[in-house]
Amino acid sequence: METTGLRRFASEKTLFFLVAQIMLLMPASEILAEVLTHYSKDFLPSYFHPLVFGAFGILGTLAVLLYKTVELTSPETRGRWYLSDFLYLLLVFFMVISAVFSTNPGMYSYGYFFNSENPADFLGYFCMFYAGANIRSSEYRKKLIFVLLMVEIIHGVFAFFQTFNIQIAFSLLAWRIGAAYGLTPNINYYGGLAVFMLACISGVYLFSEQFIRNKILRLLLIVFAGFGFYVMMGSKSRLVWPGFAVMAAFYVISGLIMIKSKMDRTALKRYFARLLLLFVLYAVMFAVLYNCTDMVREGIERTKQEMEGTVEQGLGSNRLLLWKYGLESVKNHWATGIGLDNFRAVFYEKFGNVEMAFFRDKAHNELIHILVTQGVFAFAFYVFLYLRAVINNVKKIFKGEDESSRALNWIFLAMFLTYAAQACFNTSVISVAPHFWLVLGLLNTCDSPLLSSNKK
């Protein structure tokens, strides 16, 4: 392909810079917002998140369209359509259908600026997915790993100090004394991000030869992993527990699979030695945090109270009730959903405008939220997308790719499954979800086109 004019735009380098910049800009914009809260009452924490990511959704969509147009018209790639192109278009299609046929058109999370996901935000997610699906080279995929680690460092530094009640501004939404929320508006949001990033840190340490040549830096990764575990637990969010459990189980299973692979025996021994060291580190830190802080005990005590029925909110802070009401509404809006990010309409339909009725803007389970708000067809498509991500990459691993590609696939799968586990209890928000959509795209790369035209 010629490297002049617009043809240079249709490259993995372009897509890499597109997603890397937004991932770094989001936490940077939050730092600015929190500083500005001290100088003007017009600013709140997370003030810039909806503005920045909404703008990215629009500009990123234009960039994707330009990228695909250039690819389709270039002599070497003329007429090529990949599965990822159709997946992207279907994501947009289901989003549009849900928004158009919403019971409250134009209303997303009932207008709550800091918690809603409007069409521009969804377009931003889909841009992240598309970029990930078209970044195929190990070089740029490794660079994305390092960008993700940079994001974790930025969030983690602020989260670390927040566990000591040192913060620039304040948590916009749910918060507890001494709890970490990083550069997100909620401890649960940060907990989901932190356990997702811990899966990345752990994987980079386990496969460190593929990422870092310097032995001293490789040794420092275990310190970074301990830091990641601390800030994750510092969120005091119980939803990190299933995410962490799935991550740990995944890396054990990965090792067992590698035993029967063609992986170098010396490298395999290093993998298990590092895995054991990680587990010992996490176990020791868990014991210390349990005995010396309330990071763990608070969550355990809260769970006991919910199970015993001694607190006002039910098990999982009434999540079971949320899911029950949401699923009950599906029969009335099964084809198109009750409306894009319009979960609260479930309660208006059930209770009307009764004062003090039980309302929530999110299902606190991402798949149920999709089913209720976007309908059965969209739900089935998302399930297909998630299953394809797992099955496709397990096949790639077994086909015997090079060690670097195999390590990347293991790490991205661990991050995906870790996120999926915590997402059973959490909410999709623009301060966290873009990272997941990028990884989902990286797991849905398509090397061969479905349609192609070689006409010059």
Side-chain angles (χ1 to χ4, degrees):
M1 179 183 290
E2 296 180 25
T3 57
T4 58
L6 282 177
R7 290 177 184 172
R8 184 181 298 174
F9 186 86
S11 67
E12 291 177 301
K13 183 178 181 180
T14 298
L15 297 175
F16 167 76
F17 280 109
L18 181 70
V19 297
Q21 288 175 6
I22 190 61
M23 282 196 293
L24 295 172
L25 185 58
M26 288 292 280
S29 69
E30 173 58 9
I31 295 172
L32 176 61
E34 294 198 12
V35 170
L36 290 176
T37 60
H38 293 278
Y39 298 97
S40 173
K41 293 181 180 180
D42 293 331
F43 291 97
L44 289 170
S46 299
Y47 179 85
F48 292 115
H49 277 176
L51 303 176
V52 170
F53 197 71
F56 169 77
I58 296 170
L59 296 176
T61 300
L62 295 175
V64 167
L65 292 175
L66 179 59
Y67 173 93
K68 191 60 190 176
T69 300
V70 172
E71 186 178 63
L72 287 172
T73 56
S74 295
E76 294 83 357
T77 58
R78 180 174 295 150
R80 289 185 184 177
W81 287 90
Y82 295 86
L83 178 60
S84 57
D85 298 324
F86 295 107
L87 295 176
Y88 172 82
L89 291 174
L90 282 170
L91 285 167
V92 175
F93 171 77
F94 285 119
M95 181 267 290
V96 170
I97 291 296
S98 178
V100 169
F101 291 96
S102 173
T103 57
N104 292 284
M107 187 66 74
Y108 311 100
S109 285
Y110 275 72
Y112 188 59
F113 185 60
F114 300 104
N115 205 35
S116 67
E117 294 172 300
N118 61 46
D121 300 324
F122 280 94
L123 288 175
Y125 295 158
F126 304 156
C127 289
M128 299 294 284
F129 171 85
Y130 188 84
N134 285 277
I135 295 176
R136 303 178 181 91
S137 71
S138 292
E139 176 190 356
Y140 283 107
R141 290 159 78 87
K142 284 182 179 178
K143 287 181 178 180
L144 286 174
I145 287 284
F146 286 110
V147 173
L148 286 165
L149 294 180
M150 288 174 63
V151 172
E152 167 62 356
I153 291 171
I154 296 170
H155 278 273
V157 168
F158 288 89
F160 177 82
F161 285 107
Q162 286 160 4
T163 62
F164 299 98
N165 287 318
I166 301 172
Q167 49 199 347
I168 299 178
F170 55 90
S171 175
L172 186 65
L173 302 174
W175 180 72
R176 300 187 187 101
I177 295 175
Y181 54 93
L183 295 167
T184 75
N186 182 304
I187 59 174
N188 284 333
Y189 300 166
Y190 178 67
L193 177 64
V195 69
F196 175 74
M197 292 298 187
L198 185 64
C200 180
I201 300 167
S202 300
V204 172
Y205 173 66
L206 292 171
F207 298 100
S208 54
E209 282 86 4
Q210 303 299 325
F211 298 93
I212 300 174
R213 294 182 180 180
N214 188 289
K215 291 183 178 180
I216 296 176
L217 291 178
R218 290 206 299 263
L219 288 173
L220 289 176
L221 282 172
I222 191 66
V223 178
F224 190 17
F227 173 78
F229 183 85
Y230 174 81
V231 293
M232 177 194 76
M233 298 304 295
S235 70
K236 297 185 180 181
S237 176
R238 289 176 291 169
L239 54 82
V240 306
W241 302 349
F244 180 82
V246 167
M247 180 202 78
F250 176 83
Y251 279 126
V252 171
I253 294 170
S254 301
L256 296 176
I257 291 173
M258 284 186 279
I259 290 176
K260 295 188 177 183
S261 71
K262 297 179 181 180
M263 184 175 180
D264 178 73
R265 298 296 101 175
T266 302
L268 190 58
K269 288 179 181 178
R270 286 197 297 265
Y271 177 90
F272 277 105
R274 287 171 182 159
L275 185 62
L276 178 61
L277 182 57
L278 268 184
F279 284 176
V280 170
L281 172 67
Y282 294 154
V284 170
M285 291 189 67
F286 181 88
V288 172
L289 292 175
Y290 179 84
N291 288 288
C292 301
T293 73
D294 64 352
M295 290 181 184
V296 181
R297 283 178 287 137
E298 185 177 294
I300 293 175
E301 182 59 31
R302 171 73 183 187
T303 303
K304 287 181 179 178
Q305 291 174 352
E306 290 177 356
M307 294 179 69
E308 294 168 355
T310 57
V311 291
E312 183 179 346
Q313 292 185 325
L315 190 62
S317 298
N318 276 333
R319 278 171 172 75
L320 294 179
L321 196 58
L322 277 176
W323 304 340
K324 176 178 179 290
Y325 292 156
L327 293 174
E328 286 175 354
S329 76
V330 173
K331 63 181 182 293
N332 299 321
H333 310 277
W334 65 273
T336 62
I338 202 166
L340 190 69
D341 200 28
N342 189 37
F343 192 81
R344 189 191 290 196
V346 168
F347 304 100
Y348 285 127
E349 282 194 353
K350 187 174 184 65
F351 301 109
N353 291 313
V354 179
E355 186 178 357
M356 300 300 291
F358 177 69
F359 293 121
R360 292 290 186 278
D361 287 319
K362 305 281 187 177
H364 291 272
N365 178 299
E366 292 193 24
L367 277 177
I368 291 178
H369 189 84
I370 292 167
L371 174 61
V372 173
T373 60
Q374 297 190 50
V376 171
F377 298 118
F379 173 79
F381 173 69
Y382 274 78
V383 171
F384 162 78
L385 195 60
Y386 295 168
L387 289 176
R388 185 187 185 278
V390 175
I391 295 170
N392 190 49
N393 285 274
V394 169
K395 285 181 179 179
K396 285 183 179 180
I397 290 168
F398 276 107
K399 283 182 180 177
E401 292 186 319
D402 61 272
E403 292 298 326
S404 178
S405 296
R406 186 182 291 115
L408 287 165
N409 282 333
W410 282 127
I411 294 170
F412 292 140
L413 271 175
M415 296 176 72
F416 168 79
L417 293 172
T418 299
Y419 183 93
Q422 65 82 39
C424 292
F425 311 94
N426 209 351
T427 295
S428 172
V429 289
I430 58 175
S431 54
V432 177
H435 310 90
F436 166 73
W437 279 96
L438 172 64
V439 169
L440 183 61
L442 291 165
L443 291 171
N444 275 282
T445 53
C446 307
D447 298 323
S448 302
L450 292 180
L451 300 174
S452 180
S453 171
N454 294 320
K455 295 180 181 180
K456 302 290 184 178

